[in-house]
Amino acid sequence: DDMWAGWCAKTICDQLGYGVKTGVPYIRHEKASKWQSNFRKEQNGILWQEEIIPFFEDVSLSSSSAINCYYELADEVEENLTEIDEYFDELSNGMRIWANLWEDK
């Protein structure tokens, strides 16, 4: 989820001409984790990166507002990533719901 949100934000910021700075994390994560169960939970995401990263590198957005870019991105996800897995259809719908909630504010 955090990587997906970062890719979406970076793509939209690039479209709008906003700078994005990355660097060393502000919080150091030191708790022990169960790598095997974490891997099972994140396995699809790890494998999908081979196709998701090029998608974000190549996607083209035309809107001039962040919210409209997000809607465009949801459409692109539905159009281009559902062939990887049906999950992306659900994700694109969730993206639209999230954007609608922000617009209602």
Side-chain angles (χ1 to χ4, degrees):
D1 297 340
D2 55 342
M3 291 173 62
W4 181 265
W7 290 329
C8 290
K10 174 75 168 100
T11 300
I12 292 169
C13 286
D14 286 351
Q15 165 65 27
L16 299 176
Y18 299 138
V20 175
K21 183 178 181 192
T22 60
V24 179
Y26 291 109
I27 298 172
R28 185 175 170 98
H29 178 75
E30 293 184 8
K31 82 174 190 180
S33 86
K34 298 178 181 176
W35 70 268
Q36 290 171 327
S37 66
N38 288 346
F39 178 75
R40 278 192 295 279
K41 292 176 192 173
E42 297 181 12
Q43 183 176 2
N44 285 341
I46 293 166
L47 296 172
W48 292 339
Q49 285 184 45
E50 296 298 320
E51 296 177 68
I52 292 172
I53 291 171
F55 163 79
F56 278 105
E57 290 174 339
D58 296 337
V59 71
S60 178
L61 306 173
S62 61
S63 295
S64 60
S65 73
I67 196 76
N68 288 336
C69 283
Y70 198 75
Y71 282 119
E72 274 190 71
L73 195 53
D75 293 343
E76 292 290 332
V77 167
E78 182 177 36
E79 185 176 320
N80 295 293
L81 296 181
T82 53
E83 63 193 38
I84 298 171
D85 194 275
E86 291 177 7
Y87 168 77
F88 291 100
D89 184 49
E90 183 179 334
L91 178 61
S92 63
N93 289 328
M95 290 171 72
R96 290 184 196 95
I97 290 168
W98 185 84
N100 279 326
L101 290 171
W102 276 100
E103 282 192 307
D104 288 345
K105 295 284 177 188

